[in-house]
Amino acid sequence: VSFDPTNDANMQSFCSQWTQGTPPVFAVVDGIGTWTGTSQLCVTQQGHTPLISASSATTNWTNLGSPYLWWTGPDMAPVLSATVQWGVSSGRLGHGKKVGVVVSDQATDQAALHDDLMPDLAKDHIVPTVETVAGNPDESSTTNSDAQLAVERLKAAGVQSVIPLLPENAFFPYLASETSQQYVPQLLLSDYQDTIE
């Protein structure tokens, strides 16, 4: 089935067809990884239908979709933990560094922030400045405005290292805002949301 991953209504419609159709599908396989976020829970948690997806989030997300949600990609919880450990060991976090986190307002990213990243940072007594950017692809003007404001606030706070928890559609406007404002913090990139790529 072809679908538009930026169109929530389209994805919700397919989810309903697949899970409530006559007959419903046995399983959904998303080999590319574009069936993401709450759409995963629509199939698994609400529809009680197995979903195998290349797109992953954090452990608590699989728990919400359990036992129907299966990922072929890595669980992001240990990825975020390793990012913090590396940041501390390399001197990019801690030791008097001001740290920022720029996160989307999407449920998966908020869960990653509150359930995984913040506890990992707290273990090393790091209290970051957190800025939120609209992550829904349908809200590009809001995303651009939020990204601009997030950079202004992080720059004004003197943040030296930033951990992004943003989908691609929000990460690029954030990077463009850093460039336009000549703000060059150290970005701690990881496999989370493919920020390295």
Side-chain angles (χ1 to χ4, degrees), residues 119-166:
D120 289 337
L121 291 169
K123 289 176 190 171
D124 288 296
H125 310 288
I126 299 168
V127 180
T129 299
V130 178
E131 292 296 331
T132 303
V133 173
N136 187 324
D138 294 336
E139 301 175 328
S140 61
S141 62
T142 303
T143 301
N144 292 337
S145 175
D146 288 353
Q148 186 78 18
L149 188 57
V151 170
E152 287 173 13
R153 290 178 177 163
L154 293 171
K155 185 177 180 180
V159 169
Q160 300 155 302
S161 296
V162 174
I163 300 172
L165 298 178
L166 297 170

Side-chain angles (χ1 to χ4, degrees), residues 42-63:
C42 176
V43 171
T44 59
Q45 188 183 54
Q46 297 166 20
H48 302 285
T49 301
L51 169 65
I52 300 171
S53 178
S55 175
S56 63
T58 55
T59 309
N60 62 341
W61 204 254
T62 51
N63 292 341

Side-chain angles (χ1 to χ4, degrees), residues 43-90:
V43 171
T44 59
Q45 188 183 54
Q46 297 166 20
H48 302 285
T49 301
L51 169 65
I52 300 171
S53 178
S55 175
S56 63
T58 55
T59 309
N60 62 341
W61 204 254
T62 51
N63 292 341
L64 290 171
S66 179
Y68 303 103
L69 182 56
W70 297 84
W71 291 328
T72 60
D75 184 318
M76 291 294 121
V79 169
L80 292 173
S81 180
T83 301
V84 171
Q85 291 171 14
W86 174 79
V88 170
S89 68
S90 67

